[in-house]
Amino acid sequence: MTDKYYVTTPIYYVNGAPHIGHAYTSIAADVVARWKRLEGRDVFFLTGTDEHGQKVEKAAQDAGLDPQSFTDGVAGQFRAMGEALGISNDDFIRTTEPRHKAACTALWTRLVEAGEIYLGAYEGWYAIRDEAFYGEDELITNAHGVLIAPTGAPVEWVREPSYFFRLSAWQDRLLAHYEANADFIGPGARRNEVISFVRGGLTDLSVSRTSFRWGVEVPNDPEHVMYVWLDALTNYLTATGYPDADAPRAGFWPANLHMVGKDIIRFHAVYWPAFLMAAGLPVPRRICANGWWTVEGEKMSKSVGNVIEPSALIEEFGRDAVRFFLLREMPFGNDGDYSRRALISRLNVELANDLGNLAQRSLSMIARNCEGRLPPLPSPLTDADAALLAQAAALPRLLAAAIDIQAFHTALEEAWRVIRAANGYIDHQAPWALKKTDAVRMGSVLRVLAEVIRAVATVLQPFMPDSMARMLDQLAVPADARGLAALDHPLVEGSVLPAPQGIFPRFVEEVA
Ligand code: MSP
């Protein structure tokens, strides 16, 4: 198996400012990227912005700006969101960059040469908000008797010359691919949804537009710009240097994982593999769809005025708490609800009480009673020592399995099972009492705890990079011994630990 691992976020439309829905997909992909690096894989992690199409063109007009200056501004906000959240992407792609236009042109040309694209005329419904074409049978009538898309987006009748991609010809080959690759789409409910959509029959897809200009020009027919989804999906190839087979990152294709939201699964799991197969290129290994966030029980929207901006949350609670909350609260794949109360409760119970106190209690006892030096491991281990150490040693395996199916909440539950067991152990062993009766055993208990905290902090680095780095600093773990493989070796007996400092303060809500 190659040690290369390529993971992507969706590229974000630059028609509005980032919110926690965007932050969530980026954090989830970031955890995967960081986890794979801990495993020692050669990771390429891509994020970026989707800057063409009618929706963005319209947003620019509304803002009174030309599309390029408008997208420059909003793309900057998405870049800043990533930095504020600690997203460890290796590249940030913008679809208005020359390298991307070159990749789109190359892919288009290849599809034309393969006979997969032909010129025709499109007549039908289009929803700008979704940048999607809909069949008449998919539309619904709203309370005012107006036809709308199944997503609720307004639709308009479009009639214009258009190039088509022979999607209908790919139905059987797509179904065969889903059949042969059970992990291609996750979670299972989304897989079933995609399979039944494809079984229902595919029609050829309109892949160019002539009624507006803000897009990548079709080669040899500049009246047309490419359909924004063909343009957008190609970003994943662009970043590997496509079409240059000798580009430094060419070896990262096919991607291991496209992390996407449930609303865009069809584009990724149907259109994208069909484009790639038609162009004779390998398809990604897996596409995993997350659910949607509501806010205090309501759909998040500008008109309701309940949009949660990641920057405001980070400022108030800190980036690691926000990352932890979003991944812990929402079982990946399901929808989840953001509420301030739930966030504060998880912060105080799981971070401050469970994990923060465990580290603070153990490390401050080592500082006070062992001259700040790491005591020796017990020899022999008691049953309680062995059981707790074994639980901690199983963490890398358990988290790897959960992260490979993007079950981030399960990964965190596994870590918390060990944290709670360690809290039970410390209460039961009562090292503060041993101090007077059996100082050697007290040292042993504290050392076992130090090993467990180190294992927990190591596996939690991808979730909470800053605070777990501080926790490992407090255990004097060298920077080059923070990968999963380092857990095979115990900490160094006698090492001098820096003075412990609380990592997760309790959050006290100010009463007005
Ligand atoms: N530009 C396309 C993606 C192209 S990928 C080749 C797009 N952009 S988007 O900005 O509208 O959405 C980006 C991601 O944010 C999607 O995965 C979408 O599901 C996610 N979310 C947007 N709102 C969300 C919530 N309220 N909750 C969770 N995720 C949400 O689609």
Side-chain angles (χ1 to χ4, degrees):
M1 190 179 66
T2 159
D3 75 336
K4 289 195 173 1
Y5 192 95
Y6 180 19
V7 52
T8 66
T9 74
I11 48 171
Y12 302 104
Y13 283 131
V14 290
N15 61 315
H19 58 60
I20 57 164
H22 307 125
Y24 179 65
T25 323
S26 284
I27 295 168
D30 186 55
V31 168
V32 175
R34 288 177 184 267
W35 180 265
K36 293 293 166 186
R37 291 190 197 108
L38 278 193
E39 286 184 345
R41 302 281 292 262
D42 178 15
V43 171
F44 177 37
F45 173 24
L46 178 71
T47 189
T49 41
D50 187 354
E51 306 191 351
H52 289 132
Q54 245 174 318
K55 168 154 137 169
V56 171
E57 188 181 71
K58 193 168 167 303
Q61 264 161 18
D62 293 348
L65 290 170
D66 69 277
Q68 191 63 59
S69 342
F70 177 75
T71 56
D72 288 347
V74 187
Q77 292 180 33
F78 276 94
R79 223 184 254 275
M81 170 187 87
E83 278 160 24
L85 289 167
I87 303 300
S88 63
N89 54 297
D90 300 295
D91 194 355
F92 187 101
I93 187 154
R94 298 184 55 191
T95 55
T96 48
E97 290 174 68
R99 61 170 171 161
H100 179 65
K101 292 182 185 166
C104 289
T105 306
L107 183 65
W108 181 283
T109 306
R110 194 152 168 185
L111 290 171
V112 170
E113 284 165 4
E116 297 287 347
I117 285 182
Y118 62 91
L119 185 60
Y122 181 77
E123 188 164 6
W125 296 101
Y126 192 75
I128 297 181
R129 198 172 88 191
D130 301 341
E131 296 282 19
F133 301 95
Y134 289 104
E136 183 106 19
D137 53 343
E138 289 182 283
L139 302 184
I140 48 179
T141 310
N142 72 5
H144 310 287
V146 177
L147 278 179
I148 53 169
T151 56
V155 289
E156 61 180 42
W157 186 257
V158 170
R159 194 183 172 170
E160 58 190 65
S162 171
Y163 285 92
F164 283 84
F165 170 72
R166 292 189 198 281
L167 184 62
S168 58
W170 290 91
Q171 179 170 346
D172 293 344
R173 282 170 283 188
L174 284 168
L175 288 170
H177 186 77
Y178 306 146
E179 194 59 41
N181 299 275
D183 297 333
F184 182 60
I185 303 165
R190 298 288 159 221
R191 173 181 152 83
N192 295 340
E193 177 189 306
V194 167
I195 292 177
S196 71
F197 170 73
V198 176
R199 279 212 186 112
L202 296 175
T203 50
D204 288 353
L205 182 70
S206 165
V207 286
S208 76
R209 304 289 307 275
T210 52
S211 51
F212 67 98
R213 297 300 317 145
W214 187 236
V216 182
E217 275 179 14
V218 165
N220 306 319
D221 198 351
E223 295 282 289
H224 292 250
V225 294
M226 292 180 199
Y227 173 38
V228 66
W229 270 101
L230 173 56
D231 159 352
L233 289 160
T234 305
N235 92 85
Y236 304 131
L237 275 180
T238 307
T240 65
Y242 181 83
D244 178 3
D246 298 323
R249 286 193 168 128
F252 280 100
W253 192 260
N256 297 75
L257 179 66
H258 290 318
M259 198 73 98
V260 302
K262 65 177 184 179
D263 53 320
I264 56 174
I265 188 83
R266 186 185 294 186
F267 302 96
H268 283 82
V270 182
Y271 301 169
W272 184 223
F275 295 151
L276 290 165
M277 288 176 184
L281 293 166
V283 304
R285 303 218 183 280
R286 181 171 166 85
I287 292 146
C288 187
N290 61 259
W292 268 46
W293 285 96
T294 51
V295 172
E296 313 274 353
E298 280 196 71
K299 189 170 183 251
M300 189 168 32
S301 88
K302 267 189 223 156
S303 50
V304 180
N306 63 351
V307 173
I308 306 281
E309 290 184 9
S311 54
L313 280 192
I314 293 169
E315 201 163 302
E316 188 168 14
F317 300 104
R319 95 167 36 145
D320 281 359
V322 173
R323 292 171 64 109
F324 171 76
F325 171 76
L326 292 177
L327 292 176
R328 180 64 190 79
E329 184 75 3
M330 172 136 117
F332 199 84
N334 296 8
D335 291 339
D337 186 50
Y338 165 84
S339 90
R340 187 178 168 84
R341 241 184 74 206
L343 192 159
I344 294 173
S345 155
R346 286 207 183 272
L347 224 153
N348 284 342
V349 175
E350 282 155 84
L351 293 184
N353 268 8
D354 295 348
L355 177 55
N357 274 352
L358 171 67
Q360 186 64 13
R361 285 204 284 178
S362 311
L363 294 174
S364 61
M365 283 198 70
I366 295 177
R368 268 187 276 117
N369 305 317
C370 311
E371 297 165 343
R373 284 175 188 276
L374 205 59
L377 269 170
S379 170
L381 298 172
T382 67
D383 288 351
D385 301 341
L388 184 62
L389 288 170
Q391 251 188 299
L395 280 175
R397 185 172 48 79
L398 293 172
L399 268 79
I403 290 171
D404 275 340
I405 54 166
Q406 293 78 46
F408 303 104
H409 64 293
T410 312
L412 289 169
E413 272 163 18
E414 295 293 357
W416 255 258
R417 222 188 296 279
V418 176
I419 292 166
R420 280 192 291 266
N423 277 317
Y425 172 89
I426 196 171
D427 289 344
H428 195 76
Q429 301 290 329
W432 45 88
L434 288 169
K435 185 175 149 186
K436 294 179 206 108
T437 56
D438 186 348
V440 174
R441 177 66 193 153
M442 174 199 67
S444 302
V445 167
L446 294 174
R447 173 58 189 275
V448 167
L449 287 162
E451 294 292 341
V452 172
I453 295 165
R454 180 251 195 146
V456 165
T458 301
V459 299
L460 289 180
Q461 290 174 97
F463 294 86
M464 298 184 285
D466 296 346
S467 17
M468 293 306 99
R470 284 169 56 210
M471 205 170 268
L472 291 170
D473 289 345
Q474 297 194 15
L475 286 163
V477 177
D480 61 0
R482 296 183 178 192
L484 298 178
L487 290 178
D488 293 343
H489 309 285
L491 293 164
V492 181
E493 182 185 322
S495 35
V496 179
L497 306 190
Q501 283 169 350
I503 290 180
F504 296 114
R506 275 185 76 79
F507 182 86
V508 183
E509 185 81 281
E510 284 189 22
V511 185

